Amino acid sequence: MSHTSGSSTRNGSFRDEVRDAVSLRATLLVLGVIALQLLFIASYVGALHHPEPRDVPFGVVAPGAAAGQTVARLERLPGGPLDPRAVADEAGARRQILDREIDGALIVDARGGRDTLLVASGGGTALATTLESLVTGLEGAERRTVRTVDVAPASARDFDGLSSFYLVVGWCVGGYLCASILAISAGARPADPRRAAIRLIVMALVAIVGGLGGAVIVGPVLGALPGSVVDLWGLGALITFAVGAATLALQGLFGVVGIGLAILLVVIAGNPSAGGAFPLPMLPPFWKAIGPALPPGAGTWAARSVAYFRSNALTVPLLVLWAWAVAGTVITLLASARRQRRQEAELPARAG
């Protein structure tokens, strides 16, 4: 009787400890969700509530001393909306826009009163429209007129140039959702490097299929984006795998909390700073700084380059995405190897 009573007491105590531990864990997870919710609101509203141009790379083509005078006048604009620099001729200005070195250019007609503004709505309609409004106001103050020429126009089916951004968001969602499902179905932390490698292989296969599907949908199916389907396919596969591998790495290090950290990086920090709704020069300094280093920002820039800028200026964003992919892969494998060593070291203690 006493033995049974003691056993029941121990079992009850154990159940109480388990219940307390689960309750604490659930409380911490709920608090984490609230924190992510508030960060989501702060990040999106903070980045997008008051867009205005800051230091937009801008070319000026004008004869002789007029070029320097125009550059100086643009540099003195309140708030510093433009970062003007002299360009030798209109052909050079067009080339720099297509190379994504500048976002627009003013071609001054020294013999008349009508100048030309070059923009590229394929890089973001909001920025092109803002430049047109700004330059039109300035020209009116000088009693001059301006005509606008779109050097890299957005597709007629790409409203506000947002299709590239939404395409990249979809690829990113596929990456972290796939990694999250693997964690839910088989445990957040793979037990050994072999199982970690299997997850990475599955992630790569999903990335290949998702990359192709996204490229076909926005290209041949909807006609939303021009550009090579093959190039977009490769880009989509890289984005999806980079985000998925990073999520797997965070899960390997932090368990289920890694899913929340992935959402923090990709959704909360990455999406509003990607330059989608408003291109980078229109974002506040913090978001403008972090955007190019995160997968949504690097991916959006690369997708627009493929679609509208002859695949120019791809080196840096592709290096960023490869860095996420490689780092995620290496950390995932190292974390699983460390976990396996820890479990092997604990076996003798358990046996004893």
Side-chain angles (χ1 to χ4, degrees):
M1 175 73 77
S2 62
H3 174 74
T4 303
S5 176
S7 176
S8 299
T9 301
R10 285 193 298 271
N11 289 337
S13 176
F14 176 74
R15 284 195 299 269
D16 290 341
E17 291 176 2
V18 171
R19 186 168 56 250
D20 290 343
V22 171
S23 177
L24 176 61
R25 184 185 182 207
T27 300
L28 292 176
L29 288 176
V30 169
L31 291 175
V33 169
I34 294 173
L36 288 177
Q37 178 189 48
L38 298 179
L39 286 171
F40 183 97
I41 295 170
S43 183
Y44 276 72
V45 177
L48 306 177
H49 77 289
H50 184 52
E52 57 182 0
R54 296 178 181 84
D55 296 323
V56 180
F58 190 79
V60 174
V61 178
Q69 294 170 357
T70 304
V71 168
R73 179 163 58 93
L74 296 178
E75 286 177 334
R76 291 193 298 268
L77 290 175
L82 301 179
D83 178 18
R85 72 284 310 267
V87 180
D89 51 33
E90 181 175 346
R94 288 174 175 267
R95 183 174 60 254
Q96 288 190 33
I97 291 174
L98 291 176
D99 289 342
R100 308 202 73 179
E101 296 175 7
I102 58 177
D103 291 309
L106 178 63
I107 315 299
V108 177
D109 181 7
R111 294 173 296 180
R114 192 182 188 196
D115 301 331
T116 301
L117 171 66
L118 304 181
V119 297
S121 61
T125 303
L127 180 58
T129 303
T130 298
L131 288 177
E132 183 175 12
S133 176
L134 177 64
V135 172
T136 300
L138 292 174
E139 293 285 278
E142 297 288 328
R143 297 184 179 180
R144 301 178 67 86
T145 59
V146 62
R147 69 183 183 99
T148 301
V149 176
D150 201 339
V151 176
S155 166
R157 297 186 178 183
D158 181 13
F159 178 74
D160 274 358
L162 291 173
S163 297
S164 299
F165 171 61
Y166 290 132
L167 173 63
V168 171
V169 168
W171 282 329
C172 290
V173 168
Y176 67 73
L177 278 185
C178 180
S180 301
I181 289 171
L182 290 172
I184 293 170
S185 62
R189 294 185 175 100
D192 54 61
R194 182 181 69 83
R195 295 181 184 179
I198 291 173
R199 294 191 186 190
L200 288 166
I201 292 171
V202 171
M203 191 71 253
L205 294 174
V206 169
I208 292 171
V209 175
L212 176 60
V216 170
I217 288 171
V218 301
V221 175
L222 298 178
L225 287 181
S228 166
V229 171
V230 174
D231 288 348
L232 287 175
W233 177 14
L235 176 63
L238 177 57
I239 292 171
T240 304
F241 182 79
V243 172
T247 305
L248 289 174
L250 291 169
Q251 291 169 177
L253 293 174
F254 304 105
V256 69
V257 175
I259 298 175
L261 294 176
I263 293 174
L264 175 64
L265 284 172
V266 177
V267 179
I268 294 176
N271 285 353
S273 65
F278 300 108
L280 291 175
M282 298 185 70
L283 296 179
F286 173 76
W287 285 268
K288 179 179 178 181
I290 67 172
L294 297 173
T300 299
W301 177 278
R304 283 176 170 162
S305 289
V306 170
Y308 297 117
F309 296 93
R310 304 174 184 174
S311 294
N312 293 325
L314 281 177
T315 301
V316 172
L318 290 182
L319 287 175
V320 169
L321 293 169
W322 274 111
W324 280 91
V326 172
T329 299
V330 171
I331 293 173
T332 299
L333 294 173
L334 290 178
S336 63
R338 186 183 65 175
R339 181 173 175 81
Q340 182 182 35
R341 289 195 299 269
R342 183 183 301 130
Q343 290 175 338
E344 291 173 349
E346 291 174 352
L347 284 177
R350 292 176 181 174

